[in-house]
Amino acid sequence: GENVEQHPSTLSVQEGDSAVIKCTYSDSASNYFPWYKQELGKRPQLIIDIRSNVGEKKDQRIAVTLNKTAKHFSLHITETQPEDSAVYFCAASIGTNAGKSTFGDGTTLTVKP
Amino acid sequence: KAGVTQTPRYLIKTRGQQVTLSCSPISGHRSVSWYQQTPGQGLQFLFEYFSETQRNKGNFPGRFSGRQFSNSRSEMNVSTLELGDSALYLCASTDPGRMNTEAFFGQGTRLTVV
């Protein structure tokens, strides 16, 4: 089955700096890669996603890149703010099985003011 | 549109007991997935139900089971509870009519086994 590895497990940055979280996946059939943000005590919520026919997607301060050949994708957050502090999860799934996503173990991001 | 609703929010059970958790998906979503979340282990996929049928299953023992009703509501059952079953159980619903779609999560049920 699919295996998703996520690094780093913890990341601490100064407010205003950039943060990068990387994930690799094993199943070349995976074609949907969402990123979820989970604040303390809350449910995971989608912040950005990318499909396998796209190499990069940006939404304000957040961007995701995908390298299908290398089977890795990354989340980039620029100009970090304290409210970006949360656990971030990457995931991979195959479009026809959208209900089954394989998640990375999560990255705890701390943004210091 | 109402979000994904999970009940109860908190549960405390004793080892050996069984427990049933409930998940009501977003209206119109026919796929419901269940995940176990523990500190340091991320989100582990349990199973997915679609149109009352289990479509996918993760690597959990047979003590973990589920079902889905005709209104798409789903239940998850854990029998013979063990201390290691203490976790946050999240369900997520998706709209199978769209390829590559996000999962909408409920707030979870926090299960503590003592």
Side-chain angles (χ1 to χ4, degrees), chain A residues 1 5 8 10-11 13 16 18 27 30-31 51-52 54 57 61 63 65 74 76 84 86 93-94 96 105 110-111:
Chain A
E5 294 190 356
T10 60
L11 179 60
V13 300
S18 294
D27 191 342
S30 290
N31 57 4
R51 291 153 175 76
S52 59
V54 175
K57 183 176 178 181
R61 297 185 297 109
T65 59
S74 301
H76 304 253
D84 294 330
S93 67
I94 302 171
T96 54
D105 287 343
T110 303
V111 180

Side-chain angles (χ1 to χ4, degrees), chain B residues 8 10-14 17 19 81 109-114:
Chain B
Y10 303 93
L11 265 178
I12 298 176
K13 289 287 187 178
T14 305
Q17 286 187 314
V19 67
L81 284 166
T109 294
R110 172 78 59 187
L111 172 65
T112 302
V113 182
V114 297

